[in-house]
Amino acid sequence: MTNLNYDEAAVAREEANYQTATARARRAFVREQLNLKSGESVLSIGCGPGFEPSELASQTNASRVLGVDSNPTMLAVSRDRCPDAVSLLRGDATSIPVADGSVETAVSVQVYEYIDDIDAALSELHRVLDSDGRAVIYATDWESLVWRVRNSARSNRVLSAWNEHCSHPHLGPTSNRNSEPPRST
């Protein structure tokens, strides 16, 4: 997995991003796609600052909500945000610390594009889902970013450098989509 160094300042910036109207709309869209049934368990892979598992616990009738993240600073922020009903665990998409077939649903937002070995991550997801389990994986295609600037050569260099921080910056368009995500306004 691409190493993302989240110190306290980076976590604070990420937390601020999660509080925007666009991020709230994205989380609502993902929950809608997940179509969580009453009493199902749900796993949030790469839970970051805990908004996803917290909202899943408070806005659904999930029997169990798990959040997994590899960064201890993110997990500390998640612990402050999430209700006691959410179990937070240290792990990543290629090594999820739960038993085989132990969750019915899973969600992961903007995580898989950072994973070097997609096949291993998908195998791990398959391992933890029960036989009828389902998952929503939301990946961003960074090339679709519209950035209007005066110096297009400089912005292209910035976008090129941004692409280098992801293992798969164009993962989204390589998969099948059956619905459209919310658009920011």
Side-chain angles (χ1 to χ4, degrees), residues 104-124:
E104 288 136 325
T105 58
V107 60
S108 185
V109 175
Q110 291 182 280
V111 172
Y112 280 68
E113 59 263 43
Y114 293 96
I115 298 170
D116 295 326
D117 190 346
I118 293 293
D119 290 339
L122 292 174
S123 292
E124 183 68 351

Side-chain angles (χ1 to χ4, degrees), residues 141-147 159 162:
D141 174 20
W142 298 107
E143 191 171 291
S144 66
L145 175 68
V146 175
W147 191 7
L159 289 173
W162 179 259

